[in-house]
Amino acid sequence: MALPDEAVERFREGLDEAIAAGEVEPTAMCLSTLGVDGGLSSRMVLMKAFTPEGFVFYTNLESRKGTQLAASGAAALVFHWKATERQVRVEGVAEPVSDADADAYFASRPRGSQLGAWASDQSRPMASRVTLVKRVAAVEARYLGRPVPRPPHWSGFLVRPRLVEFWYGRRSRLHDRFVFTLDNGEWRRERQFP
Ligand SMILES: Cc1cc2nc3c(=O)[nH]c(=O)nc-3n(C[C@H](O)[C@H](O)[C@H](O)COP(=O)(O)O)c2cc1C
Ligand SMILES: Cc1ncc(COP(=O)(O)O)c(CN)c1O
C-alpha cells in the first residue's frame, strides 16, 4: 500500500530541511531486524531511495542483516535529524529490490566501493586487516580495465511501511507526533501524546 500523500510530503520536506540545516548524514537510518532466536539486531544503513512504496537501502545479502531479513522480513527504521530536532520512525516489511534497480545503483557507486562489495564477506569473521587488503587487490586485478559487475550477494531491500511516525521536537517538550498506520488496507492518521 503506497503511503498517503501527506506522509510522503512530510518525509520529503523533513529530509530537505535536514539537508538544508547541514545534517551530516541526512539519509542515515537505524535499521532493526529480527534474529531467528527472536532477538533484535540494529545498525545504521544509508537510505538510497524513497518513494510512496517505501525506503530502499543496499547491503550484502549474506550479512547478518541480510540473512535475518531473508528469514523474516520484519524491519524497523529510525531517522534522527538532529539539526532540525526531528525523528521519523518506520515499521514494516522488507522485500528484495529488482535486479535492475540493484544494478543501476551499484553502477553509480565509486569503483572503490564496488570493489569493496566483492572483497568483503560482510559480518563473517576475518583473521586480520591484511586479509581484506589482499582481497581488494585481487578483485582490483581481476577487473582491471573493465567495469566491476554487481556481486550476486549484493543487493537492496525495500522496506514497505505499515507504520510511519513523524516526531517534531519542541523546546517545551510538548512535541508533535503524527502517526500513520495501515489498518485493513487503509491508512489511518492520528496525533499521539508526546
Ligand atoms: C552511517 C552509517 C551508514 C552505513 N550504511 C550502510 C549501508 O548502507 N549498507 C551496509 O551494508 N552497511 C552500512 N553501514 C555499516 C552497518 O552499520 C553494519 O556495520 C554492516 O552493514 C554490518 O551489519 P550486519 O552485520 O548487521 O549485517 C553503515 C554504517 C554507518 C555508521
Ligand atoms: C558496507 C557498506 N555498504 C553500503 C553502504 C551504502 O552506501 P554507499 O553505497 O554510498 O557506499 C555503506 C555506507 N557506509 C557501507 O558502509
Side-chain angles (χ1 to χ4, degrees), residues 25 44-48 57-60 65 105 108-110 113 116-117 120 122 154:
E25 289 278 21
M44 303 302 293
V45 291
L46 296 182
M47 184 195 75
K48 296 297 175 176
F57 65 91
Y58 289 90
T59 193
N60 186 314
K65 76 183 90 51
Y105 178 66
S108 79
R109 302 180 82 211
S113 305
S120 173
Q122 193 179 58
W154 196 95

Side-chain angles (χ1 to χ4, degrees), residues 41-114:
S41 177
S42 300
R43 81 291 288 154
M44 303 302 293
V45 291
L46 296 182
M47 184 195 75
K48 296 297 175 176
F50 169 68
T51 70
E53 301 302 313
F55 304 80
V56 173
F57 65 91
Y58 289 90
T59 193
N60 186 314
L61 300 178
E62 294 163 3
S63 65
R64 186 167 164 83
K65 76 183 90 51
T67 53
Q68 290 186 343
L69 287 173
S72 154
L77 305 170
V78 186
F79 295 84
H80 178 206
W81 293 316
K82 298 167 192 68
T84 51
E85 296 186 55
R86 288 184 186 183
Q87 170 177 256
V88 178
R89 159 187 208 199
V90 176
E91 295 172 11
V93 177
E95 61 179 58
V97 301
S98 68
D99 285 345
D101 282 359
D103 287 342
Y105 178 66
F106 189 78
S108 79
R109 302 180 82 211
R111 194 173 173 88
S113 305
Q114 295 176 335

Side-chain angles (χ1 to χ4, degrees), residues 3 55 89-92 160-165 179-182 187 192:
L3 280 167
F55 304 80
R89 159 187 208 199
V90 176
E91 295 172 11
R160 285 188 186 273
R162 285 180 175 165
L163 177 150
V164 180
E165 177 194 310
V179 185
F180 296 81
T181 12
L182 199 52
W187 284 102
Q192 285 184 357

